[in-house]
Amino acid sequence: MTSQMHTAAAGPIELDLKVSLGVINVHVNPNAAHATVTVHTTADEGPVADAVNGTQFTEYAGALKVTVPDDQAGLGGSNTIQIGDSTFSFNGGVVNTGTMTGITVSDDDVWVGGRRIVAGGRVVAEQGTVVGGASGKITVDVVLPAGSSLIVNTKHAETTVRGDLESIRFEARNGLLQAGGVKVLEADTHNGSVLVERVEEELEASTHNGSVTVGAYNGRRGSARTHNGDVSISATPASSGKLAARTHNGNIHVRGAGHLDLKTSTHNGRVW
């Protein structure tokens, strides 16, 4: 196992976390005096372990920035296939060891040296074939004092937040955000859903492929947009102002919003 841990100065903080791939678990603990961030993996060596060891912690004036290198989990690393005395190394889709001789690609099947390595997009390496590469994943475990805020920038990491935060800014290429209560939420993901139990003040959530769900909306300004997915928002009597819910392919379900300036639109779906 490879691990790095940082304990911040006492009091609420703004945590700015950048990690390309893995799992992010955030726990807001009202009894915690200090924020702690632990970055770890079960791998003892290789690109994943190197990424954990290369994690940078920068703390300044109530803020903590944590950056995990982008070369984690074998991104840009090499995967190998060994057949007998021949070794084929694939780096970024390029064969750089051995030769293309004996390699056949047909639809979703890959044959190397007369042996089928991939069938229907799945690895089915036959007996006598060794397939190697990076292994393990990166997990980031966070404990935050009450009154803290969170910024997450990721390519492929799912994020779960338990407890209430002042604000969440979430940006992902492929990643799910699941959170408890937050005053201000800004979320933008290409592939992934945004699921929040409660928004107190401002909501700005956008996803291309995924759903947006808010269990209780108490805010004064809100917007939820998705291209392929559903939008579901439950407004409370405490909410006010404007609320927009839009999707291209999906359903929109907004409850309790009769007192709001509500705008909804969908191209293929229902609004109710």
Side-chain angles (χ1 to χ4, degrees):
M1 181 174 178
T2 306
S3 179
Q4 288 250 50
M5 179 179 177
H6 181 88
T7 300
I13 68 164
E14 180 184 78
L15 174 62
D16 187 346
L17 175 60
K18 184 177 182 180
V19 55
S20 290
L21 179 65
V23 176
I24 302 170
N25 301 309
V26 179
H27 176 215
V28 183
N29 183 359
N31 298 319
H34 302 263
T36 61
V37 180
T38 305
V39 183
H40 59 96
T41 179
T42 57
D44 294 320
E45 58 184 12
V48 177
D50 291 344
V52 171
N53 286 326
T55 299
Q56 295 182 347
F57 300 90
T58 306
E59 188 172 355
Y60 51 94
L64 173 61
K65 185 174 183 179
V66 180
T67 303
V68 182
D70 281 344
D71 59 351
Q72 60 182 293
L75 295 178
S78 128
N79 295 303
T80 61
I81 296 175
Q82 183 173 340
I83 302 177
D85 295 329
S86 301
T87 299
F88 299 86
S89 176
F90 300 87
N91 185 352
V94 178
V95 179
N96 56 35
T97 301
T99 173
M100 284 296 292
T101 303
I103 298 179
T104 303
V105 179
S106 177
D107 294 327
D108 290 331
D109 293 352
V110 178
W111 298 75
V112 179
R115 293 179 181 172
R116 185 165 56 180
I117 307 302
V118 176
R122 300 182 61 185
V123 175
V124 293
E126 298 174 356
Q127 186 175 3
T129 305
V130 177
V131 180
S135 62
K137 67 178 181 180
I138 291 177
T139 300
V140 182
D141 291 324
V142 178
V143 175
L144 294 177
S148 296
S149 297
L150 176 67
I151 301 171
V152 173
N153 187 297
T154 182
K155 294 179 181 177
H156 313 280
E158 294 190 353
T159 301
T160 302
V161 180
R162 295 177 175 85
D164 297 346
L165 289 171
E166 292 293 301
S167 66
I168 298 176
R169 284 166 39 200
F170 179 78
E171 184 176 351
R173 182 184 301 171
N174 303 299
L176 166 80
L177 171 64
Q178 186 169 352
V182 61
K183 288 183 179 179
V184 177
L185 172 66
E186 297 178 24
D188 185 5
T189 176
H190 187 77
N191 297 308
S193 296
V194 178
L195 311 172
V196 183
E197 293 178 7
R198 190 177 69 260
V199 175
E200 296 292 349
E201 296 180 2
E202 297 182 13
L203 166 68
E204 185 72 29
S206 175
T207 178
H208 189 79
N209 298 306
S211 62
V212 177
T213 302
V214 179
Y217 174 72
N218 304 314
R220 61 178 183 266
R221 182 181 67 84
S223 174
R225 302 183 307 275
T226 177
H227 188 78
N228 300 306
D230 298 336
V231 175
S232 178
I233 301 175
S234 294
T236 73
S239 60
S240 62
K242 297 181 179 181
L243 176 63
R246 298 183 174 91
T247 179
H248 187 77
N249 299 306
N251 300 317
I252 295 176
H253 190 191
V254 180
R255 297 168 291 274
H259 61 293
L260 299 178
D261 181 1
L262 177 64
K263 294 183 179 178
T264 62
S265 66
T266 179
H267 186 71
N268 297 307
R270 293 191 302 151
V271 178
W272 81 99

mmCIF file of all heavy atoms in Angstrom, residues 121-165:
data_model
loop_
_atom_site.group_PDB
_atom_site.id
_atom_site.type_symbol
_atom_site.label_atom_id
_atom_site.label_comp_id
_atom_site.label_asym_id
_atom_site.label_seq_id
_atom_site.Cartn_x
_atom_site.Cartn_y
_atom_site.Cartn_z
ATOM 1 N N GLY A 121 -14.488 -6.949 -27.620
ATOM 2 C CA GLY A 121 -14.114 -5.835 -26.765
ATOM 3 C C GLY A 121 -13.678 -6.241 -25.370
ATOM 4 O O GLY A 121 -13.343 -5.398 -24.547
ATOM 5 N N ARG A 122 -13.630 -7.565 -25.076
ATOM 6 C CA ARG A 122 -13.234 -8.036 -23.751
ATOM 7 C C ARG A 122 -11.963 -8.873 -23.856
ATOM 8 O O ARG A 122 -11.759 -9.614 -24.810
ATOM 9 C CB ARG A 122 -14.349 -8.877 -23.125
ATOM 10 C CG ARG A 122 -15.659 -8.129 -22.948
ATOM 11 C CD ARG A 122 -16.696 -8.999 -22.281
ATOM 12 N NE ARG A 122 -16.266 -9.419 -20.955
ATOM 13 C CZ ARG A 122 -16.953 -10.281 -20.194
ATOM 14 N NH1 ARG A 122 -18.065 -10.825 -20.651
ATOM 15 N NH2 ARG A 122 -16.510 -10.594 -18.997
ATOM 16 N N VAL A 123 -11.099 -8.727 -22.835
ATOM 17 C CA VAL A 123 -9.859 -9.492 -22.817
ATOM 18 C C VAL A 123 -10.180 -10.957 -22.537
ATOM 19 O O VAL A 123 -10.828 -11.281 -21.542
ATOM 20 C CB VAL A 123 -8.890 -8.952 -21.755
ATOM 21 C CG1 VAL A 123 -7.652 -9.832 -21.662
ATOM 22 C CG2 VAL A 123 -8.492 -7.522 -22.085
ATOM 23 N N VAL A 124 -9.716 -11.841 -23.429
ATOM 24 C CA VAL A 124 -9.945 -13.283 -23.257
ATOM 25 C C VAL A 124 -8.633 -14.011 -23.486
ATOM 26 O O VAL A 124 -8.596 -15.058 -24.131
ATOM 27 C CB VAL A 124 -11.029 -13.797 -24.229
ATOM 28 C CG1 VAL A 124 -12.381 -13.226 -23.878
ATOM 29 C CG2 VAL A 124 -10.673 -13.469 -25.680
ATOM 30 N N ALA A 125 -7.542 -13.466 -22.961
ATOM 31 C CA ALA A 125 -6.216 -14.011 -23.214
ATOM 32 C C ALA A 125 -6.184 -15.514 -22.972
ATOM 33 O O ALA A 125 -6.541 -15.998 -21.902
ATOM 34 C CB ALA A 125 -5.192 -13.313 -22.324
ATOM 35 N N GLU A 126 -5.763 -16.250 -24.009
ATOM 36 C CA GLU A 126 -5.742 -17.700 -23.920
ATOM 37 C C GLU A 126 -4.551 -18.190 -23.115
ATOM 38 O O GLU A 126 -3.642 -17.434 -22.788
ATOM 39 C CB GLU A 126 -5.710 -18.292 -25.335
ATOM 40 C CG GLU A 126 -6.957 -17.907 -26.152
ATOM 41 C CD GLU A 126 -6.858 -18.380 -27.594
ATOM 42 O OE1 GLU A 126 -5.797 -18.926 -27.953
ATOM 43 O OE2 GLU A 126 -7.827 -18.199 -28.345
ATOM 44 N N GLN A 127 -4.566 -19.455 -22.764
ATOM 45 C CA GLN A 127 -3.510 -20.039 -21.941
ATOM 46 C C GLN A 127 -2.150 -19.821 -22.576
ATOM 47 O O GLN A 127 -1.981 -19.973 -23.778
ATOM 48 C CB GLN A 127 -3.768 -21.546 -21.764
ATOM 49 C CG GLN A 127 -2.807 -22.217 -20.793
ATOM 50 C CD GLN A 127 -3.175 -23.670 -20.561
ATOM 51 O OE1 GLN A 127 -4.109 -24.173 -21.165
ATOM 52 N NE2 GLN A 127 -2.444 -24.319 -19.687
ATOM 53 N N GLY A 128 -1.186 -19.436 -21.749
ATOM 54 C CA GLY A 128 0.165 -19.190 -22.237
ATOM 55 C C GLY A 128 0.416 -17.737 -22.581
ATOM 56 O O GLY A 128 1.504 -17.370 -22.980
ATOM 57 N N THR A 129 -0.614 -16.906 -22.439
ATOM 58 C CA THR A 129 -0.490 -15.478 -22.727
ATOM 59 C C THR A 129 -0.527 -14.692 -21.428
ATOM 60 O O THR A 129 -1.391 -14.912 -20.593
ATOM 61 C CB THR A 129 -1.649 -15.008 -23.636
ATOM 62 O OG1 THR A 129 -1.670 -15.815 -24.812
ATOM 63 C CG2 THR A 129 -1.484 -13.546 -24.007
ATOM 64 N N VAL A 130 0.419 -13.793 -21.257
ATOM 65 C CA VAL A 130 0.467 -12.950 -20.069
ATOM 66 C C VAL A 130 0.154 -11.524 -20.480
ATOM 67 O O VAL A 130 0.823 -10.960 -21.345
ATOM 68 C CB VAL A 130 1.850 -13.011 -19.397
ATOM 69 C CG1 VAL A 130 1.897 -12.062 -18.201
ATOM 70 C CG2 VAL A 130 2.167 -14.433 -18.970
ATOM 71 N N VAL A 131 -0.893 -10.949 -19.897
ATOM 72 C CA VAL A 131 -1.257 -9.567 -20.164
ATOM 73 C C VAL A 131 -0.923 -8.753 -18.927
ATOM 74 O O VAL A 131 -1.390 -9.075 -17.831
ATOM 75 C CB VAL A 131 -2.763 -9.430 -20.483
ATOM 76 C CG1 VAL A 131 -3.117 -7.964 -20.755
ATOM 77 C CG2 VAL A 131 -3.127 -10.303 -21.671
ATOM 78 N N GLY A 132 -0.112 -7.709 -19.094
ATOM 79 C CA GLY A 132 0.301 -6.911 -17.947
ATOM 80 C C GLY A 132 0.028 -5.449 -18.149
ATOM 81 O O GLY A 132 -0.323 -4.999 -19.223
ATOM 82 N N GLY A 133 0.223 -4.668 -17.086
ATOM 83 C CA GLY A 133 0.007 -3.224 -17.161
ATOM 84 C C GLY A 133 -0.219 -2.661 -15.775
ATOM 85 O O GLY A 133 -0.050 -3.329 -14.772
ATOM 86 N N ALA A 134 -0.639 -1.405 -15.747
ATOM 87 C CA ALA A 134 -0.864 -0.751 -14.462
ATOM 88 C C ALA A 134 -2.044 -1.374 -13.743
ATOM 89 O O ALA A 134 -2.994 -1.828 -14.349
ATOM 90 C CB ALA A 134 -1.126 0.737 -14.695
ATOM 91 N N SER A 135 -1.971 -1.416 -12.420
ATOM 92 C CA SER A 135 -3.058 -1.970 -11.637
ATOM 93 C C SER A 135 -3.306 -1.079 -10.434
ATOM 94 O O SER A 135 -2.473 -0.267 -10.063
ATOM 95 C CB SER A 135 -2.731 -3.395 -11.177
ATOM 96 O OG SER A 135 -1.591 -3.385 -10.336
ATOM 97 N N GLY A 136 -4.460 -1.260 -9.821
ATOM 98 C CA GLY A 136 -4.791 -0.471 -8.653
ATOM 99 C C GLY A 136 -5.507 0.809 -9.021
ATOM 100 O O GLY A 136 -5.586 1.193 -10.182
ATOM 101 N N LYS A 137 -6.071 1.462 -8.025
ATOM 102 C CA LYS A 137 -6.733 2.731 -8.245
ATOM 103 C C LYS A 137 -6.393 3.670 -7.104
ATOM 104 O O LYS A 137 -5.950 3.249 -6.031
ATOM 105 C CB LYS A 137 -8.248 2.550 -8.336
ATOM 106 C CG LYS A 137 -8.896 2.122 -7.028
ATOM 107 C CD LYS A 137 -10.397 2.007 -7.184
ATOM 108 C CE LYS A 137 -11.046 1.587 -5.859
ATOM 109 N NZ LYS A 137 -12.516 1.457 -5.987
ATOM 110 N N ILE A 138 -6.617 4.948 -7.322
ATOM 111 C CA ILE A 138 -6.332 5.956 -6.316
ATOM 112 C C ILE A 138 -7.616 6.316 -5.594
ATOM 113 O O ILE A 138 -8.653 6.544 -6.217
ATOM 114 C CB ILE A 138 -5.702 7.203 -6.948
ATOM 115 C CG1 ILE A 138 -4.293 6.861 -7.437
ATOM 116 C CG2 ILE A 138 -5.664 8.364 -5.969
ATOM 117 C CD1 ILE A 138 -3.588 7.979 -8.133
ATOM 118 N N THR A 139 -7.550 6.344 -4.274
ATOM 119 C CA THR A 139 -8.667 6.767 -3.444
ATOM 120 C C THR A 139 -8.236 7.980 -2.630
ATOM 121 O O THR A 139 -7.141 7.992 -2.062
ATOM 122 C CB THR A 139 -9.119 5.645 -2.502
ATOM 123 O OG1 THR A 139 -9.527 4.504 -3.276
ATOM 124 C CG2 THR A 139 -10.288 6.094 -1.638
ATOM 125 N N VAL A 140 -9.095 8.983 -2.601
ATOM 126 C CA VAL A 140 -8.836 10.176 -1.795
ATOM 127 C C VAL A 140 -9.907 10.251 -0.716
ATOM 128 O O VAL A 140 -11.096 10.383 -1.017
ATOM 129 C CB VAL A 140 -8.852 11.452 -2.651
ATOM 130 C CG1 VAL A 140 -8.525 12.671 -1.787
ATOM 131 C CG2 VAL A 140 -7.867 11.346 -3.804
ATOM 132 N N ASP A 141 -9.489 10.126 0.532
ATOM 133 C CA ASP A 141 -10.403 10.218 1.675
ATOM 134 C C ASP A 141 -10.191 11.559 2.366
ATOM 135 O O ASP A 141 -9.072 11.901 2.758
ATOM 136 C CB ASP A 141 -10.149 9.071 2.655
ATOM 137 C CG ASP A 141 -10.565 7.724 2.088
ATOM 138 O OD1 ASP A 141 -11.576 7.679 1.361
ATOM 139 O OD2 ASP A 141 -9.879 6.722 2.363
ATOM 140 N N VAL A 142 -11.281 12.299 2.521
ATOM 141 C CA VAL A 142 -11.206 13.662 3.051
ATOM 142 C C VAL A 142 -12.131 13.802 4.254
ATOM 143 O O VAL A 142 -13.272 13.339 4.225
ATOM 144 C CB VAL A 142 -11.610 14.690 1.972
ATOM 145 C CG1 VAL A 142 -11.571 16.104 2.545
ATOM 146 C CG2 VAL A 142 -10.716 14.573 0.749
ATOM 147 N N VAL A 143 -11.623 14.453 5.295
ATOM 148 C CA VAL A 143 -12.452 14.866 6.421
ATOM 149 C C VAL A 143 -12.370 16.388 6.503
ATOM 150 O O VAL A 143 -11.276 16.955 6.551
ATOM 151 C CB VAL A 143 -11.990 14.242 7.749
ATOM 152 C CG1 VAL A 143 -12.801 14.791 8.913
ATOM 153 C CG2 VAL A 143 -12.095 12.729 7.691
ATOM 154 N N LEU A 144 -13.542 17.055 6.505
ATOM 155 C CA LEU A 144 -13.585 18.509 6.541
ATOM 156 C C LEU A 144 -14.366 18.989 7.759
ATOM 157 O O LEU A 144 -15.411 18.422 8.095
ATOM 158 C CB LEU A 144 -14.265 19.060 5.282
ATOM 159 C CG LEU A 144 -13.549 18.852 3.946
ATOM 160 C CD1 LEU A 144 -14.405 19.384 2.817
ATOM 161 C CD2 LEU A 144 -12.188 19.535 3.951
ATOM 162 N N PRO A 145 -13.895 20.049 8.408
ATOM 163 C CA PRO A 145 -14.686 20.666 9.478
ATOM 164 C C PRO A 145 -15.932 21.341 8.895
ATOM 165 O O PRO A 145 -15.977 21.675 7.703
ATOM 166 C CB PRO A 145 -13.729 21.708 10.069
ATOM 167 C CG PRO A 145 -12.364 21.321 9.592
ATOM 168 C CD PRO A 145 -12.572 20.668 8.269
ATOM 169 N N ALA A 146 -16.937 21.545 9.721
ATOM 170 C CA ALA A 146 -18.137 22.260 9.280
ATOM 171 C C ALA A 146 -17.754 23.664 8.812
ATOM 172 O O ALA A 146 -16.813 24.276 9.317
ATOM 173 C CB ALA A 146 -19.132 22.346 10.423
ATOM 174 N N GLY A 147 -18.479 24.161 7.802
ATOM 175 C CA GLY A 147 -18.203 25.486 7.265
ATOM 176 C C GLY A 147 -17.185 25.501 6.152
ATOM 177 O O GLY A 147 -16.803 26.570 5.668
ATOM 178 N N SER A 148 -16.747 24.323 5.710
ATOM 179 C CA SER A 148 -15.736 24.228 4.653
ATOM 180 C C SER A 148 -16.382 24.250 3.268
ATOM 181 O O SER A 148 -17.600 24.106 3.114
ATOM 182 C CB SER A 148 -14.916 22.951 4.823
ATOM 183 O OG SER A 148 -14.172 22.956 6.024
ATOM 184 N N SER A 149 -15.531 24.425 2.256
ATOM 185 C CA SER A 149 -15.954 24.411 0.856
ATOM 186 C C SER A 149 -15.077 23.444 0.074
ATOM 187 O O SER A 149 -13.972 23.098 0.504
ATOM 188 C CB SER A 149 -15.867 25.813 0.244
ATOM 189 O OG SER A 149 -16.752 26.699 0.890
ATOM 190 N N LEU A 150 -15.588 23.017 -1.096
ATOM 191 C CA LEU A 150 -14.891 21.997 -1.874
ATOM 192 C C LEU A 150 -14.855 22.378 -3.349
ATOM 193 O O LEU A 150 -15.875 22.785 -3.917
ATOM 194 C CB LEU A 150 -15.598 20.650 -1.714
ATOM 195 C CG LEU A 150 -15.071 19.473 -2.532
ATOM 196 C CD1 LEU A 150 -13.670 19.068 -2.063
ATOM 197 C CD2 LEU A 150 -16.031 18.280 -2.435
ATOM 198 N N ILE A 151 -13.664 22.234 -3.949
ATOM 199 C CA ILE A 151 -13.485 22.365 -5.391
ATOM 200 C C ILE A 151 -12.885 21.054 -5.887
ATOM 201 O O ILE A 151 -11.869 20.595 -5.361
ATOM 202 C CB ILE A 151 -12.545 23.533 -5.753
ATOM 203 C CG1 ILE A 151 -13.084 24.856 -5.210
ATOM 204 C CG2 ILE A 151 -12.343 23.618 -7.259
ATOM 205 C CD1 ILE A 151 -12.098 26.002 -5.345
ATOM 206 N N VAL A 152 -13.512 20.443 -6.887
ATOM 207 C CA VAL A 152 -13.002 19.191 -7.457
ATOM 208 C C VAL A 152 -12.842 19.368 -8.955
ATOM 209 O O VAL A 152 -13.774 19.796 -9.647
ATOM 210 C CB VAL A 152 -13.942 18.006 -7.177
ATOM 211 C CG1 VAL A 152 -13.469 16.758 -7.932
ATOM 212 C CG2 VAL A 152 -14.014 17.726 -5.682
ATOM 213 N N ASN A 153 -11.658 19.031 -9.449
ATOM 214 C CA ASN A 153 -11.395 19.006 -10.883
ATOM 215 C C ASN A 153 -10.868 17.625 -11.225
ATOM 216 O O ASN A 153 -9.825 17.208 -10.733
ATOM 217 C CB ASN A 153 -10.373 20.089 -11.266
ATOM 218 C CG ASN A 153 -10.197 20.215 -12.763
ATOM 219 O OD1 ASN A 153 -9.759 19.283 -13.422
ATOM 220 N ND2 ASN A 153 -10.540 21.378 -13.294
ATOM 221 N N THR A 154 -11.617 16.886 -12.058
ATOM 222 C CA THR A 154 -11.246 15.508 -12.340
ATOM 223 C C THR A 154 -11.605 15.128 -13.766
ATOM 224 O O THR A 154 -12.476 15.749 -14.392
ATOM 225 C CB THR A 154 -11.943 14.544 -11.357
ATOM 226 O OG1 THR A 154 -11.524 13.208 -11.631
ATOM 227 C CG2 THR A 154 -13.460 14.628 -11.490
ATOM 228 N N LYS A 155 -10.911 14.111 -14.259
ATOM 229 C CA LYS A 155 -11.266 13.543 -15.554
ATOM 230 C C LYS A 155 -12.218 12.370 -15.383
ATOM 231 O O LYS A 155 -13.234 12.279 -16.064
ATOM 232 C CB LYS A 155 -10.003 13.090 -16.301
ATOM 233 C CG LYS A 155 -9.082 14.214 -16.710
ATOM 234 C CD LYS A 155 -7.838 13.662 -17.419
ATOM 235 C CE LYS A 155 -6.897 14.792 -17.808
ATOM 236 N NZ LYS A 155 -5.646 14.269 -18.432
ATOM 237 N N HIS A 156 -11.869 11.457 -14.488
ATOM 238 C CA HIS A 156 -12.655 10.229 -14.341
ATOM 239 C C HIS A 156 -12.709 9.789 -12.882
ATOM 240 O O HIS A 156 -12.242 8.712 -12.548
ATOM 241 C CB HIS A 156 -12.054 9.090 -15.177
ATOM 242 C CG HIS A 156 -11.693 9.460 -16.577
ATOM 243 N ND1 HIS A 156 -12.615 9.547 -17.587
ATOM 244 C CD2 HIS A 156 -10.504 9.776 -17.139
ATOM 245 C CE1 HIS A 156 -12.009 9.892 -18.712
ATOM 246 N NE2 HIS A 156 -10.728 10.043 -18.466
ATOM 247 N N ALA A 157 -13.270 10.592 -12.011
ATOM 248 C CA ALA A 157 -13.364 10.202 -10.601
ATOM 249 C C ALA A 157 -14.771 10.468 -10.079
ATOM 250 O O ALA A 157 -15.320 11.547 -10.285
ATOM 251 C CB ALA A 157 -12.337 10.947 -9.750
ATOM 252 N N GLU A 158 -15.321 9.471 -9.404
ATOM 253 C CA GLU A 158 -16.608 9.649 -8.757
ATOM 254 C C GLU A 158 -16.393 10.305 -7.393
ATOM 255 O O GLU A 158 -15.469 9.960 -6.664
ATOM 256 C CB GLU A 158 -17.327 8.312 -8.607
ATOM 257 C CG GLU A 158 -17.728 7.685 -9.935
ATOM 258 C CD GLU A 158 -18.637 6.487 -9.751
ATOM 259 O OE1 GLU A 158 -18.840 6.072 -8.592
ATOM 260 O OE2 GLU A 158 -19.154 5.980 -10.758
ATOM 261 N N THR A 159 -17.289 11.230 -7.049
ATOM 262 C CA THR A 159 -17.139 11.997 -5.815
ATOM 263 C C THR A 159 -18.388 11.864 -4.963
ATOM 264 O O THR A 159 -19.502 12.081 -5.442
ATOM 265 C CB THR A 159 -16.887 13.480 -6.140
ATOM 266 O OG1 THR A 159 -15.703 13.594 -6.930
ATOM 267 C CG2 THR A 159 -16.723 14.285 -4.859
ATOM 268 N N THR A 160 -18.188 11.535 -3.701
ATOM 269 C CA THR A 160 -19.286 11.429 -2.739
ATOM 270 C C THR A 160 -18.997 12.341 -1.558
ATOM 271 O O THR A 160 -17.918 12.280 -0.972
ATOM 272 C CB THR A 160 -19.462 9.979 -2.252
ATOM 273 O OG1 THR A 160 -19.709 9.124 -3.366
ATOM 274 C CG2 THR A 160 -20.627 9.877 -1.281
ATOM 275 N N VAL A 161 -19.971 13.174 -1.221
ATOM 276 C CA VAL A 161 -19.829 14.096 -0.092
ATOM 277 C C VAL A 161 -20.922 13.775 0.919
ATOM 278 O O VAL A 161 -22.115 13.814 0.581
ATOM 279 C CB VAL A 161 -19.950 15.562 -0.533
ATOM 280 C CG1 VAL A 161 -19.805 16.484 0.672
ATOM 281 C CG2 VAL A 161 -18.911 15.898 -1.603
ATOM 282 N N ARG A 162 -20.515 13.484 2.134
ATOM 283 C CA ARG A 162 -21.459 13.231 3.225
ATOM 284 C C ARG A 162 -21.395 14.393 4.212
ATOM 285 O O ARG A 162 -20.345 14.654 4.787
ATOM 286 C CB ARG A 162 -21.138 11.905 3.916
ATOM 287 C CG ARG A 162 -21.335 10.692 3.018
ATOM 288 C CD ARG A 162 -20.939 9.394 3.711
ATOM 289 N NE ARG A 162 -21.248 8.240 2.891
ATOM 290 C CZ ARG A 162 -20.447 7.770 1.935
ATOM 291 N NH1 ARG A 162 -19.305 8.370 1.701
ATOM 292 N NH2 ARG A 162 -20.803 6.713 1.231
ATOM 293 N N GLY A 163 -22.522 15.080 4.381
ATOM 294 C CA GLY A 163 -22.556 16.240 5.248
ATOM 295 C C GLY A 163 -22.780 17.516 4.462
ATOM 296 O O GLY A 163 -22.921 17.498 3.236
ATOM 297 N N ASP A 164 -22.807 18.654 5.163
ATOM 298 C CA ASP A 164 -23.141 19.948 4.567
ATOM 299 C C ASP A 164 -21.897 20.801 4.361
ATOM 300 O O ASP A 164 -21.036 20.898 5.238
ATOM 301 C CB ASP A 164 -24.119 20.708 5.469
ATOM 302 C CG ASP A 164 -25.442 19.975 5.626
ATOM 303 O OD1 ASP A 164 -25.692 19.039 4.840
ATOM 304 O OD2 ASP A 164 -26.225 20.341 6.525
ATOM 305 N N LEU A 165 -21.859 21.458 3.187
ATOM 306 C CA LEU A 165 -20.751 22.346 2.851
ATOM 307 C C LEU A 165 -21.273 23.731 2.483
ATOM 308 O O LEU A 165 -22.436 23.899 2.110
ATOM 309 C CB LEU A 165 -19.950 21.778 1.676
ATOM 310 C CG LEU A 165 -19.097 20.540 1.953
ATOM 311 C CD1 LEU A 165 -18.544 19.978 0.662
ATOM 312 C CD2 LEU A 165 -17.965 20.882 2.921
#
